[in-house]
Each structure stands twice: as C-alpha cells, then as structure tokens.
Amino acid sequence: MANIQEKISALCPSATFDETGELLLVNVPDEHWHALAKALKEQLHFDMLNAVAGVDWKDELGCMYYLTNTETQEMIHVKVATTDRENPRLHTVSDIWAVANYQEREVYDFFGIVFINHPDMRRFFLRNDWVGYPLRKDYDASPELNPLRLEAEENEDDTFSLVEDAEGNLKRVDKKVFGPEEYVINVGPQHPSTHGVMRYRAAIDGEVVKKVDVVSGYIHRGIEKLCEDLTYPSMLLYTERMDYMGAHMNRHATCLCIEKALGIEVPHRAEVIRMMMDELMRLSSHLLSYGCLTMDQGATTAFFYGFRERELIYDIFDKTCGARMSMSYDTIGGVVRDVHPDFVNDVRNACDVIEKAIPEYHKLFSGNVIALGRMKDVGTLSKEDAINYAITGPSGRASGFHCDVRKTQPYSLYNEVEFDEVVYENGDSYDRYMVRMKEMEQSIKILRQCCDMMDKEGHQGEFCAKVPKIIKLPKGHWYQQVEASRGAFGVYLESDGEGKPFQHPYRIHFQSPCFNLVGVVDLTCKDNLIADLITITASLDYVIPDIDR
C-alpha cells in the first residue's frame, strides 16, 4: 500500500492519507476528485467501483468510494466531502465508472448532494415531490411534511444536470428523460412480468427496445435509516429481508463486519456451519432462478422441477433454524444454536438428490431449441461493461469477469475447501443461466467437504464465541464483502464510538448486487425485442427487495 500511496501523492499532492484502518483511506478535496478518479482508473487500474456510501458527518456531507484493482485485488477507499449543507455539491464520477450513475442518484435521493455534471440528477427510490433527505442527521421526519399521497406522481419525465463549464461556472440544465418523438410503453410493476414490483418505461421502435428507464422504489422500506436506531444484534433481521434468496449470506456479511470491528474470532465449527448454510442458500437461490427463468419463457414444467428440490433445502433450514425463510440463524460470534442431529445426513442426501436432478434440468430445458433461440446472443454484456457497471456474481462471471469473492478475497473457511470458479465468455442470457447451473455443482462439492469436516470433528468445538451482552463498537468504519447468490454483497459500517446505553451504528450502508444488476437493463435490452426484455431481466436474476432496501 505504501507504493500506491506514493503514486497517489504524485498524482494528487492535495490528498491526505490514513493507514490506521483495514484499507488505505485517501482524503481528496472535491475540486481534485474527478482528475484523481480518472488517474486511479486509467493509470493505477482501479477499474471497479465497489460501493458509494453517502454519509452525514454533521460538519460535512460526503461519500466513501470503495475501489478495486481487478488484476491485483487491492482495495482502497476515498473520502470526498463538502461543508456546504445548504447546497452540497460534489463532482460526478459516473463518466469514469458507469456504476456511479445510479449510486450517485441514490446518494442525492437520501442526502441531497447534487453531483456536478451527472447526466440525470433525479431521485431514485423516493417520489420527486418528497420533502427532505431521510439519511441526513437533521432530517425532519414529521408525517405532515410527507403525508401518504394517493395521487400519481407528477413530472416523472423531468430531470436535470448541474453542468460546469471550462471556467468552473455552474448552470442547471433541465432535461426530459424521453423526447416527444419517442413511443414509450410501461412494463411492470406487476410481479409476474418484472420479477417483483419493478417498473420499466421502455421506448420502442416497432417491437425493438431503444431505451429503458428504470423506476424503482415501490417497496423501499428505509432499512438503512431504521438500523441507525437499532442495536447491532437487532438490526441483523433486516439483512434477510433484502435478497431473501441470499438471506444467510447477507446476515453472514453483516456479522463478519461487526466481528471485524470488535476483533472477535469466530469458532471453527461455527464458520463451517455458516459456510454450509450459505451454500445451501446458494443452491436454493439458483434452483429458484432456474424455475423462474424457465417459466418466463413458457416452460412451466421446469418451474416445478426446481421447486421440488428446493423443498429438501427448506426442510434442512426448518429443522435447525425453526424457519424456512428469514431464518435468523447467524449471530455476532457464530450461530444462535448448534445444528440438528440429522443435519449432516440431510445435507448429504440433498446433495445426492440435486446432483442427480441437474441432468434432468438440462434435458428438459438447456438444449431446448426454443430456449436456445430465446437466450443465445440475447442481452449480451461484455467483460469491460461488467467491470464498469460492477456486475458481479453469476452475471459478471458469464461475461468472463473473475469476480467470485470466495476466491478473490476469501472469507470464512473458503480457503480450506476446493472448488472451481465458474466463468463463461459470451456474456449473453444463456451463459448467465449456465453459470448458475454449473455453480450448483460447485456448491455441492463444497457442501460435501464441509460434511467431511463435521464428521471428523464430531460435536467438538463451540458454535458461538463469547461476545459482550451490550455491543459497542469503537470509533471507526469498516467494509466487508461476501459472495451472495447474485454477486458481491457489501456492508459499510461506521461507528462514532460514543457511549450510549445500547450502541447502534452511526451509519450502515448495504451495497446490494441487485442494485448494480438493474443498472445494466437499459444496456442489455437496447436493440433487442420487447419480448426479450423479460428473458434478459430474468437471466440477470435480480431480487427487488435487494434493490429497494
């Protein structure tokens, strides 16, 4: 990191550094941020923007940008802030990392920071007539300011950019999302068509899609705001209500982040159990993805095949956790209870059954001439675009992007088991489908190795470390990623270290993979048929609560 620091100092002499945390922190004045960001990507190869976390530090409003060099897997984070609370402004980096387009709109939505030269400065989750910015510390939550509105939202086609000229002068430029010559149809937010309450406004030419405008926020629940008033153990339940098909992984990531801050060493047995639950969850998620994608193309029989095997996994969850969904099983320090006595045998049986069923899935659907026609070369995403839009998980690996967090930044016990990272090259809907099918085989491989570990160790070892009854984190901030079902799920956690009877996070931000996935809907659907929009979005496999949070 010393070498990187020297290079950044040479590129931006005004930057200051903090090496006391887990990653190098670069503090950059906003007027130098865009130039440094461009150099970080083009010269130092920090080509992926993992997360943008808006934060209100009371005396400042700003963002934490987490960046990764995808060749070396080195990570740094950059802090950019402004002291102007009346008209907070920062320079956009959406022209450098395309994923920042939606990320910065989210920050604008919740903090009111306007990004200079951003092409589309609209709210993302909230209505455009919402009063205030909810994640600010001085936000007025009076219900009179934002009553329940039953009328349709006005002016949804209006947007603006704050444009800076060569002399540094700023000018607001009002725009329209669609021009008067464009024919726009509405898709969604009915659940069957868009995999949940997601709405698309699509401009079409005949049956060909020319542009897609994503309209999100129909089930936004303000989870990050709610967590600010909850204790660390209490907020864990919300992690399972984002991507509910990656519930164990999301909760695992949050526990790892808190454990990192507290310096807690999780018992080996607990991590084996956590890893097994994660892989069972991945199997369940990919089986659901198989069923939904096939059903979206008319193969309703295949849908029931996928659900048939998922029941085995849900039965395993039910025996140990007492619930089939929203299991609330991981806890700070380990897991809440030891596994059921039948756990290992049930897992082995489920692996055997699913392994035998996978060839059936392929026979029924994968080689079907209709399926091939609907998915091959449809919705193509290049490796460069996958990195630029931070598309991770199966959708990223289908484009040739080696992005499996279990391999790139191993956590838990993934460095103790053997498995292959499944990578395809074409980046189309079919490859995204096939990556998930092959990943099920790798999850089975991991689970069998974990079963052997459990058999070898017997019931020796603790399932949870001893943790304080009242959890208070020291002052600082931390970031943790795991490989969830749909990609890298990140948790940004900040504590102000102030002593309170029941300490809660000063700021927590959940960087969901699905938020990035929906960012490439326009890119992948453009110049394809309107019927293909459903296939493409199904192959991206996003979950709406993971986007809306």
Side-chain angles (χ1 to χ4, degrees):
M1 278 300 175
N3 189 35
I4 293 174
Q5 183 173 326
E6 290 174 5
K7 290 179 179 178
I8 294 175
S9 293
L11 292 167
C12 182
S14 60
T16 60
F17 303 90
D18 184 350
E19 295 183 89
T20 58
E22 56 177 334
L23 299 172
L24 176 66
L25 172 62
V26 186
N27 292 282
V28 184
D30 175 58
E31 59 268 24
H32 301 147
W33 167 224
H34 188 271
L36 177 60
K38 189 174 183 180
L40 284 171
K41 181 176 183 180
E42 295 178 357
Q43 297 182 40
L44 301 186
H45 199 71
F46 284 96
D47 51 343
M48 186 165 77
L49 175 59
N50 298 76
V52 181
V55 186
D56 181 355
W57 289 286
K58 296 181 181 176
D59 56 337
E60 292 180 313
L61 281 169
C63 296
M64 287 287 200
Y65 296 83
Y66 280 81
L67 307 171
T68 296
N69 179 325
T70 59
E71 290 183 352
T72 64
Q73 298 305 324
E74 291 175 295
M75 285 187 72
I76 62 170
H77 60 312
V78 181
K79 178 182 176 181
V80 186
T82 175
T83 56
D84 186 351
R85 297 185 67 87
E86 295 301 316
N87 294 292
R89 293 167 179 169
L90 299 175
H91 283 79
T92 185
V93 290
S94 60
D95 57 326
I96 299 171
W97 297 285
V99 67
N101 188 334
Y102 283 7
Q103 302 280 0
E104 291 175 349
R105 280 181 60 188
E106 180 184 27
V107 173
Y108 168 66
D109 202 356
F110 296 140
F111 292 91
I113 299 173
V114 176
F115 290 87
I116 299 168
N117 295 325
H118 191 286
D120 183 7
M121 205 77 275
R122 285 180 291 164
R123 288 187 183 267
F124 194 85
F125 295 110
L126 303 177
R127 290 170 59 110
N128 57 34
D129 54 3
W130 189 273
V131 179
Y133 304 100
L135 287 179
R136 285 198 187 189
K137 296 300 180 182
D138 56 0
Y139 173 65
D140 186 350
S142 304
E144 295 80 15
L145 287 177
N146 289 293
L148 179 63
R149 294 179 174 89
L150 301 180
E151 68 277 8
E153 188 172 10
E154 296 181 2
N155 305 320
E156 67 178 2
D157 209 40
D158 293 340
T159 185
F160 75 94
S161 291
L162 192 63
V163 179
E164 184 179 42
D165 63 20
E167 286 73 38
N169 301 312
L170 298 177
K171 179 183 178 181
R172 177 184 169 118
V173 178
D174 292 319
K175 302 178 180 180
K176 294 289 185 181
V177 178
F178 292 102
E181 75 286 355
E182 293 179 290
Y183 184 76
V184 182
I185 65 169
N186 195 72
V187 183
Q190 291 79 9
H191 193 294
S193 65
T194 55
H195 284 243
V197 282
M198 174 61 73
R199 178 185 171 212
Y200 299 121
R201 294 191 302 155
I204 58 173
D205 180 7
E207 291 189 31
V208 178
V209 176
K210 306 311 292 182
K211 181 180 179 181
V212 179
D213 180 43
V214 175
V215 184
S216 194
Y218 283 93
I219 56 168
H220 177 69
R221 293 148 293 162
I223 284 175
E224 293 176 8
K225 183 71 173 179
L226 290 168
C227 287
E228 292 180 6
D229 290 322
L230 294 172
T231 63
Y232 291 104
S234 298
M235 74 180 188
L236 293 178
L237 69 94
Y238 284 109
T239 62
E240 300 178 315
R241 287 155 175 82
M242 290 182 282
D243 177 2
Y244 47 87
M245 293 313 304
H248 278 300
M249 294 92 138
N250 296 352
R251 192 169 171 118
H252 192 177
T254 311
C255 288
L256 285 171
C257 197
I258 296 168
E259 289 155 4
K260 183 190 297 183
L262 290 172
I264 292 175
E265 185 176 347
V266 179
H268 186 270
R269 179 179 179 81
E271 281 295 8
V272 175
I273 295 170
R274 281 179 171 183
M275 196 162 67
M276 293 180 75
M277 290 297 187
D278 285 2
E279 294 308 316
L280 287 168
M281 192 94 253
R282 197 180 319 278
L283 276 172
S284 170
S285 177
H286 288 355
L287 286 169
L288 178 69
S289 174
Y290 169 79
C292 291
L293 185 143
T294 56
M295 182 178 65
D296 282 347
Q297 296 176 71
T300 51
T301 302
F303 177 79
F304 291 108
Y305 274 45
F307 267 70
R308 179 185 63 190
E309 272 68 61
R310 279 180 74 236
E311 286 300 302
L312 292 172
I313 297 171
Y314 274 28
D315 288 344
I316 293 170
F317 290 160
D318 195 10
K319 274 188 178 182
T320 288
C321 309
R324 298 165 70 80
M325 293 184 68
S326 301
M327 289 69 64
S328 299
Y329 187 55
D330 284 14
T331 191
I332 300 167
V335 293
V336 296
R337 64 177 65 86
D338 208 341
V339 293
H340 190 276
D342 298 337
F343 179 73
V344 172
N345 288 335
D346 288 345
V347 171
R348 289 189 187 278
N349 177 64
C351 288
D352 291 343
V353 172
I354 296 171
E355 187 175 52
K356 291 178 182 177
I358 289 174
E360 283 188 336
Y361 305 156
H362 288 302
K363 184 178 180 181
L364 185 64
F365 185 78
S366 302
N368 184 283
V369 65
I370 298 174
L372 292 171
R374 292 291 305 276
M375 293 193 292
K376 279 280 190 181
D377 299 321
V378 173
T380 303
L381 181 71
S382 70
K383 178 182 177 181
E384 292 71 27
D385 283 333
I387 296 172
N388 200 19
Y389 285 86
I391 302 302
T392 56
S395 295
R397 290 188 284 280
S399 299
F401 179 22
H402 291 264
C403 56
D404 193 326
V405 181
R406 297 172 296 176
K407 291 287 190 180
T408 60
Q409 296 170 352
Y411 58 94
S412 189
L413 302 177
Y414 280 106
N415 56 357
E416 295 185 14
V417 294
E418 294 182 5
F419 68 100
D420 298 323
E421 181 180 12
V422 181
V423 179
Y424 276 56
E425 299 297 332
N426 294 328
D428 57 12
S429 296
Y430 189 77
D431 277 11
R432 289 191 282 271
Y433 159 77
M434 284 301 297
V435 168
R436 293 186 180 90
M437 299 301 288
K438 293 297 182 181
E439 281 193 356
M440 287 198 287
E441 298 173 11
Q442 297 305 313
S443 289
I444 290 170
K445 186 176 180 180
I446 293 170
L447 283 166
R448 284 176 171 153
Q449 292 174 72
C450 290
C451 285
D452 292 341
M453 289 185 192
M454 294 285 280
D455 284 341
K456 184 177 180 180
E457 296 177 4
H459 288 282
Q460 296 176 354
E462 297 292 330
F463 59 82
C464 189
K466 296 188 185 303
V467 298
K469 290 183 179 179
I470 299 176
I471 295 176
K472 296 181 180 181
L473 266 58
K475 185 175 182 178
H477 58 271
W478 301 267
Y479 189 73
Q480 177 66 47
Q481 290 186 120
V482 301
E483 183 63 30
S485 306
R486 288 157 184 80
F489 177 83
V491 180
Y492 172 83
L493 176 59
E494 182 163 339
S495 169
D496 59 3
E498 294 181 2
K500 297 178 181 179
F502 296 98
Q503 183 73 0
H504 50 76
Y506 181 82
R507 171 78 171 107
I508 191 164
H509 172 63
F510 298 109
Q511 183 54 56
S512 67
C514 295
F515 185 53
N516 295 349
L517 286 169
V518 80
V520 294
V521 168
D522 177 52
L523 181 67
T524 53
C525 292
K526 187 176 181 180
D527 295 328
N528 285 287
L529 297 174
I530 187 67
D532 292 332
L533 184 148
I534 304 303
T535 295
I536 294 166
T537 54
S539 73
L540 291 170
D541 192 35
Y542 55 72
V543 171
I544 305 300
D546 199 46
I547 300 167
D548 283 3
R549 304 190 301 285

